[in-house]
Amino acid sequence: MKNVTRRDFAATLGKGAAAVTILGASPLLGAPISAQNKKSLGVALVGLGSYSTHQLAPALEETQFCHLAGIVTGTKEKEAVWKRSYGLPDSSVYNYENFDDIANNDSVDIVYVVLPNSMHADFSIRAARAGKHVIVEKPMAMNVAECNAIMEACAASDVRLSVGYRMQSDPYTQQVKRFVRDKTYGEVQFINSDAAYISRGNPDQWRLNRALSGGGALMNMGVYSIQSSIYGAGENPISVSAQEFSTRPDYFKDTDETITAQFEFENGAVAHMMTSHNISGNRMKVHGSKGWFVLEPAHSYGPIGGHTSDGTVLKYPHKSQMALQMDDFAQHILAGAPNMAPGEMGKRDMIIVEAIYRSIREGGKRQQLDLAEMGLVRV
Ligand code: NAD
């Protein structure tokens, strides 16, 4: 068994970074904001729910180039707990009403929107207008029109924008991209990707309420399957056909339960994805003309696992994906490093989400995807 180590990864990083498909590079490369002369950027978390509490705030204690500098919450009781836990001053605590005052807080450089999906566009746009760089959680917004509005607001205020696609900063994902780019296992022929879990919680939760979530499994875990189908193929898809299955309509009254979809790619590859709130799945496998490689688990917080048809075991030291992701974005802002998950990428995925829902409405009919409309995005 041959181990692919972090050193192998580091050795090929330069080559990989140069060869990554970045079309239309200029908006992805940040002008360094060295004028501010900061070495670490302040991040304000908007929405102190599960992901902020258990993933992002702890990750911000591991980051090198950014730190927690503010919170925005609608729950008074959380203020004291967070101030005490993270040593935050009163001046860095906001609620949803006075949020726009964050414009006057120089200790906050990045606003990270971690709210239900229906609130992403509003708070991202307000953050941009406040002159702050923006990270918005996945899915980027409720629809393509909202993605456009967020991107326009960020461009108008000349701030950087990134989507919370933590897998883009994960070393296993980056190894997959190198295998695909270098044709290590030949031409990619087929990708199989699952991102799914069984939801048994409160039926009134926002994820099961279309007005707040925009959809069910597809808007939640499905975007990971879309992403890994794309980096598994090495390019954007040219068509998608999709199917929806419902076995617990009593529980999933308002949102999709299980969706499968098939993508075609210009390079001849085909992908099949599955996402669900009623089945577990967490795997991506890429079949090439000379062999295969698989990540399992593929989309969770890690450690990710992987192996290949020639017995190679993929092994990288575990580090918080969210810490890597936020440091990558800080380096984009501070040093002009590539934006690993620009707004264009979130918008592309929303174009695909809309096409999947359209295909389902039309009985599984194949939807052509316009590569030009999807924009010039890295995969
Ligand atoms: P959560 O339900 O745990 O937290 C949501 C937060 O929003 C809470 O603090 C809640 O008080 C606040 N909120 C404000 N208005 C609300 C309303 N009308 N209804 C419900 N909550 C309201 O959710 P979460 O798991 O933290 O998810 C938040 C965002 O983060 C979502 O967009 C989700 O997709 C994303 N997320 C991403 C990942 C990832 O791996 N990148 C993982 C989990 C969640």
Side-chain angles (χ1 to χ4, degrees):
M1 293 269 197
K2 189 172 72 180
N3 282 342
V4 175
T5 64
R6 189 159 186 99
R7 183 180 301 175
D8 299 333
F9 164 67
T12 52
L13 188 62
K15 200 168 78 172
V20 157
T21 310
I22 309 177
L23 306 168
S26 59
L28 308 181
L29 298 174
I33 55 164
S34 50
Q36 294 181 18
N37 213 17
K38 288 190 177 179
K39 292 200 165 41
S40 175
L41 299 179
V43 177
L45 295 174
V46 188
L48 306 181
S50 170
Y51 196 54
S52 284
T53 304
H54 301 299
Q55 301 300 330
L56 296 176
L60 280 163
E61 303 212 288
E62 286 183 41
T63 42
Q64 225 184 314
F65 303 109
C66 51
H67 58 274
L68 185 66
I71 51 172
V72 184
T73 176
T75 312
K76 199 78 192 144
E77 305 80 70
K78 289 184 185 169
E79 292 182 5
V81 176
W82 279 69
K83 275 196 296 186
R84 200 170 48 244
S85 300
Y86 294 102
L88 294 167
D90 287 340
S91 57
S92 287
V93 177
Y94 299 87
N95 56 45
Y96 299 131
E97 286 70 45
N98 68 15
F99 166 70
D100 305 281
D101 295 345
I102 209 163
N104 305 319
N105 189 339
D106 288 341
S107 71
V108 173
D109 304 286
I110 299 170
V111 165
Y112 196 150
V113 180
V114 202
L115 290 164
N117 307 339
S118 60
M119 301 169 80
H120 287 188
D122 181 26
F123 279 85
S124 298
I125 290 168
R126 285 163 68 183
R129 288 186 182 146
K132 305 301 178 185
H133 304 288
V134 179
I135 309 178
V136 55
E137 255 315 319
K138 49 70 28 190
M140 182 170 165
M142 298 286 271
N143 49 48
V144 174
E146 285 190 357
C147 295
N148 283 332
I150 296 171
M151 287 162 62
E152 281 161 21
C154 289
S157 295
D158 196 20
V159 295
R160 309 287 168 204
L161 168 65
S162 185
V163 182
Y165 283 141
R166 56 186 164 73
M167 296 313 304
Q168 291 287 338
S169 294
D170 179 88
Y172 290 84
T173 300
Q174 292 173 353
Q175 179 61 62
V176 163
K177 291 185 182 190
R178 282 193 300 279
F179 282 155
V180 172
R181 186 200 65 224
D182 298 346
K183 303 190 194 303
T184 314
Y185 296 91
E187 300 290 340
V188 173
Q189 297 175 318
F190 180 64
I191 306 108
N192 202 344
S193 169
D194 305 334
Y197 68 82
I198 301 171
S199 172
R200 298 210 192 283
N202 172 8
D204 295 328
Q205 62 185 285
W206 69 262
R207 278 191 177 80
L208 304 182
N209 176 338
R210 184 171 293 275
L212 295 173
S213 63
L218 183 62
M219 289 288 272
N220 184 17
M221 299 307 287
V223 293
Y224 285 111
S225 274
I226 292 172
Q227 285 254 310
S228 55
S229 297
I230 290 174
Y231 50 71
E235 59 185 48
N236 290 332
I238 53 173
S239 84
V240 64
S241 318
Q243 307 79 34
E244 180 177 357
F245 303 91
S246 169
T247 62
R248 287 169 66 200
D250 49 317
Y251 181 74
F252 300 105
K253 291 191 180 77
D254 198 28
T255 56
D256 42 276
E257 175 190 315
T258 299
I259 285 181
T260 52
Q262 302 77 42
F263 299 105
E264 291 174 301
F265 298 87
E266 222 163 30
N267 62 12
V270 178
H272 175 81
M273 64 158 269
M274 185 279 287
T275 188
S276 179
H277 274 161
N278 198 40
I279 301 171
S280 0
N282 186 3
R283 182 174 187 265
M284 64 105 51
K285 185 170 183 183
V286 177
H287 301 255
S289 53
K290 295 198 239 157
W292 52 261
F293 51 94
V294 63
L295 294 187
E296 186 171 20
H299 306 109
S300 40
Y301 300 152
I304 302 299
H307 60 279
T308 73
S309 54
D310 60 10
T312 303
V313 174
L314 308 180
K315 196 83 199 141
Y316 299 102
H318 182 57
K319 190 157 186 225
S320 158
Q321 295 161 349
M322 303 80 185
L324 294 170
Q325 170 212 329
M326 289 187 278
D327 266 347
D328 278 343
F329 186 53
Q331 282 293 79
H332 168 60
I333 295 165
L334 289 168
N339 187 345
M340 306 298 278
E344 288 83 350
M345 184 185 270
K347 173 184 163 179
R348 173 202 62 194
D349 296 349
M350 197 52 58
I351 290 171
I352 295 171
V353 163
E354 288 190 356
I356 287 174
Y357 283 135
R358 203 162 53 243
S359 174
I360 290 167
R361 282 198 303 276
E362 296 177 8
K365 189 172 166 215
R366 180 188 274 110
Q367 307 291 313
Q368 297 303 321
L369 293 163
D370 183 343
L371 290 173
E373 189 204 358
M374 282 198 275
L376 306 170
V377 272
R378 70 170 46 231
V379 294

